[in-house]
Amino acid sequence: MHLFENYPELLAAVSGKEDGSCRVRLAGDATVDTAARENRKTFAQKIGVGYENIVSGDLVHGNTIAVVSKTDAGRVLAGVDGIVTNARGVFLSVTVADCLPVFLYDPVLGNIGLVHCGWRGLSKNIIESATAKMVLDLGSAPHNIRAAIGPGIGVCHFEVQNDVLEKFSKYRDRALKQEGGKTYLDLKRIAHLQLLREGILQDNIETSGECTHCLDSKYFSFRRDKPQVLETMMAVIGFKE
Ligand SMILES: [Zn+2]
């Protein structure tokens, strides 16, 4: 999994199955998963990130984006599926297990963002919400924003029914695959199209070819594993320390 390789100053990473579940639970929640918290700390150390410098979203499949500063480091933000910042020394994190992590970077101003994009978030235009925060709150020009769509469930495995399909009817010709009487939705393609719509340049968008469902030994997949307790990877972006 290599993203943003042309930007060595930046760290953009996703944990793997070998790192254990890195699911975030809000502190104070009685069911907070201490094993997952330890896994998050270990993964942070592995990638050279101070655990205390990470700010995470407590995801709700919505389209709320938080603009954070250094003082938010260490926090878990309730009801937030995307985070952007212009602060140095703070790392942004969301968790995924089929949903896409979409990394954003404006190398001109040094603004970064990370968005949790499942079909629900995409249907609520979460990418528009995130780029709007970078543009309106942090001053980024859309043509300067780089985007990397990370590992997530591919069109090969994301079979959908009408309830999901009807939310993406406008992408019918561009992000749908019919095969064997089944219909599959291409979430990465939809994310790509939404980025283009917000003025991100084609040449500034990269997409991981990795499907979390296909790569059984590498990634957790909610669809494939149907776990009783959700197991997730953590995605992280920030400037290398
Ligand atoms: Zn697949």
Side-chain angles (χ1 to χ4, degrees), residues 154 156-157 211 213-214:
C156 43
H157 275 109
C211 167
H213 196 301
C214 286

Side-chain angles (χ1 to χ4, degrees), residues 12 20 43 46 48 57 65 146-147 154 161 165 174 179 211 216 222:
F43 181 68
K46 177 176 161 181
I65 309 295
R146 273 64 175 167
Q161 311 297 333
L165 270 186
R174 294 172 292 172
E179 201 174 273
C211 167
D216 190 10
F222 181 69

Side-chain angles (χ1 to χ4, degrees), residues 152-158 209-215:
I153 195 161
V155 66
C156 43
H157 275 109
F158 194 56
E210 292 187 327
C211 167
T212 42
H213 196 301
C214 286
L215 297 172

Side-chain angles (χ1 to χ4, degrees), residues 53-71:
N53 294 329
I54 297 175
V55 52
S56 307
D58 185 48
L59 317 175
V60 292
H61 293 276
N63 65 354
T64 299
I65 309 295
V67 183
V68 302
S69 63
K70 182 76 174 115
T71 56

Side-chain angles (χ1 to χ4, degrees), residues 8-28:
E9 69 278 20
L10 204 65
L11 176 94
V14 180
S15 68
K17 213 172 185 176
E18 63 178 10
D19 301 302
S21 178
C22 291
R23 188 181 181 196
V24 170
R25 300 301 300 270
L26 266 183

Side-chain angles (χ1 to χ4, degrees), residues 177-212:
K177 188 181 79 167
Q178 306 271 4
E179 201 174 273
K182 294 177 176 175
T183 304
Y184 298 84
L185 194 64
D186 190 340
L187 291 179
K188 292 179 185 176
R189 181 83 191 131
I190 291 167
H192 186 112
L193 291 167
Q194 292 191 353
L195 287 162
L196 289 178
R197 199 179 62 201
E198 298 314 312
I200 316 301
L201 304 179
Q202 172 85 22
D203 286 350
N204 289 340
I205 304 172
E206 54 186 87
T207 303
S208 164
E210 292 187 327
C211 167
T212 42

